[in-house]
Amino acid sequence: MASVLNTVSSITLSKLNTNRVRAQSAFAPVSVSFTRRRLTVRAAETDTNEAVESAVPEKAPAKGGSSFNQLLGIKGASKETNTWKIRLQLTKPVTWPPLVWGVVCGAAASGNFHWTFEDVAKSIMCMCMSGPFLTGYTQTLNDWYDREIDAINEPYRPIPSGAISENEVIAQIWVLLLGGLSFAGILDVWAGHNFPILFYLALGGSLLSYIYSAPPLKLKQNGWIGNFALGASYISLPWWAGQALFGTLTPDIIVLTLLYSIAGLGIAIVNDFKSVEGDRELGLQSLPVAFGSETAKWICVGAIDITQLSIAGYLLGAGKPYHALALLALIGPQVFFQFKYFLKDPVKYDVKYQASAQPFLVLGLLVTALATSH
């Protein structure tokens, strides 16, 4: 769920730029404190009084950046002064599709979704909870806590550049969080749940988003833990929400989707290569920083491919040979694009790689969901 929660994954229209991200979307209410600090963030330690704005021209996108990219919340965005467009940019709409797709997979896996007005309305509400609200919350929260590193890597982004005030950012975080939790509670009532499972899934995903981005835990500081948390947020949590909404969330599905989240870990690594400079300076142990770019490339593709091959083996053993073959057929194009783009240059070709390969991965998720529904 977005939080179901800073690569991952998805059918990218331009670029899945979950700048350190990302995202996450059921526990007891948690008290969240957003430290209010001045948003005049410097790109590096300096003895001068020169603000970050003076450094923006050196790293900002070329003049005439894309308005479309700005609305999607991805790199290459044009500068914008309209507050609502900036708010939308902070939620990174380009990261919503994986969560929406996860809900679709969960609904399919339940075996109880029907093309009735009520079921369609429920699913749309669940998608809005997972995507715009909780993923938007996660992305805004991540940008808030990433303002120092963004001042190094992308100082033209809305928060480090001062395009939006600290009060506006904090208000947006709370509105999106409370909106997502409210939607989850309504869905529990609508589905007739005796136990508010959707509310607790949303709350747990929101908590995961917080500890992913915020100190003192700041899971993203560790490349393994942070990227797995991110992968689980984009694959497991929305699937669980969709399945719980229309059916029963079973232990075998929980284990299967958590295993699939290892592929999400690999997808998350894709987004780490472009931030090596800032990560190294701030002490974040992303895998490209910890192992070097060459080794991290192979860890990335290994996590993606071996996970899917393992799932195909599981489906074959479970008596689903046609689903297993379909999944294998979808792995082939991903491997092709890994060699064509990603392994050549993960920074230069990350957009092309994700746009080319990720559709096959998410289709594989649906194949697996359909296999488990019968």
Side-chain angles (χ1 to χ4, degrees):
M1 244 179 254
S3 293
V4 179
L5 346 154
N6 115 185
T7 59
V8 170
S9 292
S10 69
I11 302 177
T12 311
L13 297 178
S14 177
K15 176 177 181 183
L16 186 70
N17 183 18
T18 41
N19 282 342
R20 313 289 308 124
V21 115
R22 307 23 150 192
Q24 293 88 348
S25 82
F27 310 124
V30 56
S31 175
V32 181
S33 174
F34 303 108
T35 306
R36 298 177 60 174
R37 299 171 61 180
R38 292 187 61 81
L39 291 183
T40 304
V41 182
R42 290 177 170 47
E45 292 297 327
T46 175
D47 293 330
T48 71
N49 293 322
E50 189 175 9
V52 161
E53 289 184 334
S54 63
V56 172
E58 297 178 8
K59 291 192 175 184
K63 293 179 180 179
S66 171
S67 296
F68 184 63
N69 286 11
Q70 190 274 330
L71 293 177
L72 289 178
I74 61 179
K75 199 168 185 177
S78 61
K79 293 184 180 179
E80 185 56 66
T81 57
N82 182 285
T83 300
W84 291 104
K85 288 184 178 181
I86 293 172
R87 288 187 181 280
L88 182 63
Q89 180 181 358
L90 286 174
T91 66
K92 296 187 182 70
V94 75
T95 65
W96 301 350
L99 287 300
V100 171
W101 190 257
V103 173
V104 171
C105 291
S110 74
N112 294 320
F113 175 83
H114 303 94
W115 288 100
T116 63
F117 176 81
E118 182 178 10
D119 281 4
V120 170
K122 284 179 183 176
S123 63
I124 291 174
M125 190 172 186
C126 191
M127 292 172 186
C128 290
M129 173 194 74
S130 301
F133 277 105
L134 293 181
T135 304
Y137 150 77
T138 296
Q139 296 295 348
T140 307
L141 180 73
N142 187 73
D143 269 22
W144 172 252
Y145 283 109
D146 265 6
R147 57 197 184 277
E148 286 88 1
I149 196 169
D150 284 344
I152 299 170
N153 293 322
E154 299 176 276
Y156 48 82
R157 290 192 58 76
I159 295 178
S161 69
I164 187 169
S165 72
E166 61 179 52
N167 288 332
E168 289 173 320
V169 175
I170 293 171
Q172 175 163 318
I173 290 170
W174 280 108
V175 168
L176 292 172
L177 173 61
L178 296 177
L181 294 177
S182 297
F183 269 38
I186 293 170
L187 285 170
D188 276 320
V189 173
W190 196 352
H193 292 158
N194 293 322
F195 178 80
I197 184 170
L198 288 169
F199 176 80
Y200 280 105
L201 283 174
L203 188 61
S206 302
L207 176 61
L208 181 60
S209 296
Y210 181 75
I211 64 175
Y212 173 82
S213 297
L217 294 180
K218 204 175 180 72
L219 299 181
K220 66 189 299 178
Q221 292 181 112
N222 183 292
W224 293 110
I225 297 175
N227 285 333
F228 182 76
L230 186 58
S233 298
Y234 274 93
I235 292 177
S236 298
L237 284 171
W239 182 316
W240 296 351
Q243 184 153 350
L245 179 60
F246 294 104
T248 302
L249 185 58
T250 57
D252 59 325
I253 289 296
I254 292 176
V255 173
L256 180 66
T257 52
L258 286 175
L259 176 60
Y260 227 128
S261 296
I262 298 175
L265 178 152
I267 295 169
I269 297 173
V270 174
N271 298 291
D272 290 336
F273 289 91
K274 63 181 176 295
S275 303
V276 170
E277 177 188 349
D279 289 352
R280 185 178 290 115
E281 184 167 334
L282 294 181
L284 299 182
Q285 287 298 302
S286 67
L287 297 188
V289 171
F291 293 96
S293 293
E294 284 301 313
T295 301
K297 286 192 301 186
W298 290 100
I299 294 174
C300 176
V301 299
I304 294 172
D305 298 341
I306 294 173
T307 297
Q308 293 179 91
L309 289 171
S310 300
I311 297 294
Y314 166 80
L315 295 179
L316 184 62
K320 307 287 183 180
Y322 297 113
H323 293 88
L325 288 173
L327 184 54
L328 286 173
L330 291 167
I331 296 172
Q334 297 176 60
V335 175
F336 172 78
F337 288 119
Q338 285 164 0
F339 280 94
K340 182 178 177 62
Y341 294 125
F342 181 74
L343 291 172
K344 284 185 178 179
D345 191 329
V347 176
K348 181 179 179 180
Y349 295 117
D350 67 333
V351 176
K352 287 185 177 181
Y353 166 65
Q354 295 190 83
S356 302
Q358 305 306 8
F360 295 99
L361 185 141
V362 298
L363 285 175
L365 277 172
L366 183 58
V367 167
T368 305
L370 292 172
T372 61
S373 69
H374 297 87

